[in-house]
Amino acid sequence: MNENTDVVVIGGGYAGVMAANRLTQRADVTVTLINPRPAFVERIRLHQLVAGSDDAVVEYTKVLGKGVRLVVDTVARIDAAGRSVALATGGTVRYDYLVYAVGSNSAAPRVPGAAEHAYPLGGLEEAERLRSVLVAAPATAAVTVVGAGPSGIETAAELAEEGRAVTLVCGGALGPYLHPRGRRSVAGRLARLGVTVLDGPGTKVTGVTHDAVQLADGRELPSAVTVWTVGFGVPDLAARSGLSTDASGRLLTDETLTSVDDERIVAGGDSAAPSDLPFRMSCQAAGPLGAHAADTVLHRIAGERPGPVALGFVGQCISLGRRGGIFQFAHRNDTAMRLHVGGRAGAKLKQLVCWGTVKQLVDEARKPGSLSWAWAKDDTREQALRALHGETPVAR
């Protein structure tokens, strides 16, 4: 009779849930998922929560396999030597293998006044707080959204569609990921919604007060509510636990997603930095990375050598209100191509993506190991690794 193996997954986002579900393929594996919230958060819908068109929450009973034990708590520290995690509320949970999938959060703003007067949008509680602030604010109140990545664009469009007076401060280019053709499409839609778009080098924010935003070119914009969507960071759990991280705090791994410090620890999602060349933080990458992290653990349990991660991108999808959107197609190495789909068709594709990301989790819960992303492999990653490290890192 095989000995039981305990696997702990830290983090119940896209990567963590995918990994937990996939690990239940083996009857001799006990899976525990530790997450600070009792429900799954659809981060790609947080802008809808802010505008009041969705609550961005799904019950774990819908997306988590029945064989997964859910512990609602926060991990305070990982004891790699003792193979256990300490919980914030007290007590420890032991493991044979650990999946580190703590995800990402809002990056700490470094602009004077931003931490005190701006509202970030990286997590559920932040989005709920911003929603309350907007509900309390007059309908005519000036809203400034800082940051022109997907979160900033989506939030600006959603609020403008609700009749808010919105200014989007880019701090550079509008939608830097987008191909110029796609960028023109997004700019046109924002203009039709009445969003004032300020882009270019002079639009970097230099200060935030309770009622204004200051720009590098000297302009001061009146702002009753300032939304901060500039960048993402990661929790510092790995660093606090003495594990090796990249410059941004992501757990440093090899190409199998195994920690460079301990082969009993693997990582998936936004908090993983394979070969110090991490993938773009996104739910598009989180699902496959969570699946590969689980596969690495399962290979090790079976006494097999895990393979390197194989992940390619297909594009970036941005909603522009409920009736518009854009799907920017990309090469597998995550660089935008000329092709995009905009307008109502783009909105429908975005809706399909939001639905599909949850469906993938549900499908994996019902039939663990059934999902595959082999079709989206990026064949240029090996070249990028050689350029970065001189040679491709060897899987442990």
Side-chain angles (χ1 to χ4, degrees):
M1 184 174 180
N2 292 334
E3 183 179 349
N4 190 75
T5 302
D6 292 315
V7 184
V8 169
V9 180
I10 306 176
Y14 297 101
V17 171
M18 177 59 71
N21 288 343
R22 200 170 182 89
L23 284 163
T24 61
Q25 291 177 69
R26 292 183 60 119
D28 59 348
V29 173
T30 299
V31 184
T32 300
L33 177 70
I34 304 174
N35 190 65
R37 304 181 190 89
F40 175 79
V41 177
E42 288 189 86
R43 285 186 61 181
I44 56 177
R45 290 190 186 273
L46 288 180
H47 61 285
Q48 289 184 253
L49 188 160
V50 168
S53 62
D54 199 281
D55 62 8
V57 171
V58 178
E59 294 302 317
Y60 273 123
T61 53
K62 296 182 179 179
V63 297
L64 202 58
K66 293 181 179 179
V68 179
R69 172 186 171 228
L70 174 65
V71 173
V72 181
D73 210 329
T74 300
V75 174
R77 190 177 185 278
I78 301 167
D79 179 2
R83 291 185 193 167
S84 67
V85 297
L87 302 179
T89 57
T92 60
V93 180
R94 294 187 60 81
Y95 66 83
D96 294 304
Y97 289 93
L98 177 72
V99 177
Y100 186 83
V102 298
S104 59
N105 49 28
S106 298
R110 298 180 179 179
V111 173
E116 296 81 8
H117 303 296
Y119 297 90
L121 191 57
L124 178 64
E125 292 78 13
E126 292 172 337
E128 290 175 337
R129 179 188 177 209
L130 174 57
R131 172 64 182 162
S132 298
V133 169
L134 286 166
V135 168
T140 56
V143 177
T144 303
V145 179
V146 181
S151 294
I153 292 172
E154 290 183 329
T155 304
E158 204 81 22
L159 294 177
E161 194 172 67
E162 294 298 312
R164 294 282 182 177
V166 181
T167 298
L168 178 61
V169 178
C170 300
L174 171 67
Y177 179 93
L178 301 171
H179 186 277
R181 290 164 58 104
R183 188 172 297 117
R184 287 194 293 271
S185 176
V186 169
R189 171 63 178 169
L190 291 174
R192 289 190 292 276
L193 287 171
V195 177
T196 300
V197 176
L198 303 180
D199 59 358
T203 61
K204 288 187 180 297
V205 175
T206 57
V208 180
T209 65
H210 73 283
D211 62 356
V213 171
Q214 289 121 20
L215 305 184
D217 60 10
R219 282 180 288 180
E220 183 169 286
L221 311 175
S223 182
V225 180
T226 301
V227 185
W228 197 265
T229 69
V230 183
F232 287 98
V234 296
D236 65 351
L237 176 60
R240 283 191 286 110
S241 301
L243 297 169
S244 297
T245 65
D246 72 354
S248 298
R250 289 171 283 212
L251 184 69
L252 195 58
T253 76
D254 65 13
E255 284 295 282
T256 72
L257 302 183
T258 302
S259 165
V260 297
D261 302 311
D262 189 333
E263 70 173 16
R264 295 281 180 152
I265 300 176
V266 300
D270 290 354
S271 55
S275 304
D276 207 11
L277 189 65
F279 297 94
R280 170 165 55 93
M281 291 183 179
S282 62
C283 69
Q284 186 177 171
L289 290 175
H292 193 87
D295 290 346
T296 291
V297 172
L298 292 172
H299 279 303
R300 288 226 161 83
I301 293 172
E304 302 166 351
R305 183 176 179 179
V309 65
L311 171 62
F313 285 79
V314 295
Q316 187 177 82
C317 200
I318 302 174
S319 68
L320 297 166
R322 296 297 84 211
R323 295 179 292 277
I326 182 171
F327 191 99
Q328 170 66 71
F329 288 92
H331 301 285
R332 298 289 166 83
N333 66 355
D334 202 23
T335 57
M337 58 176 65
R338 289 171 58 87
L339 180 63
H340 73 272
V341 176
R344 289 186 178 272
K348 290 185 179 297
L349 280 173
K350 172 67 179 197
Q351 292 168 8
L352 182 63
V353 166
C354 290
W355 170 81
T357 54
V358 173
K359 184 178 185 300
Q360 286 179 342
L361 301 178
V362 173
D363 289 347
E364 190 70 12
R366 292 174 178 171
K367 190 176 180 181
S370 61
L371 297 181
S372 172
W373 288 268
W375 56 273
K377 181 179 179 181
D378 172 22
D379 293 326
T380 68
R381 181 168 175 83
E382 184 174 347
Q383 298 173 10
L385 288 170
R386 289 185 182 277
L388 182 64
H389 300 286
E391 62 179 1
T392 304
V394 177
R396 298 178 63 204

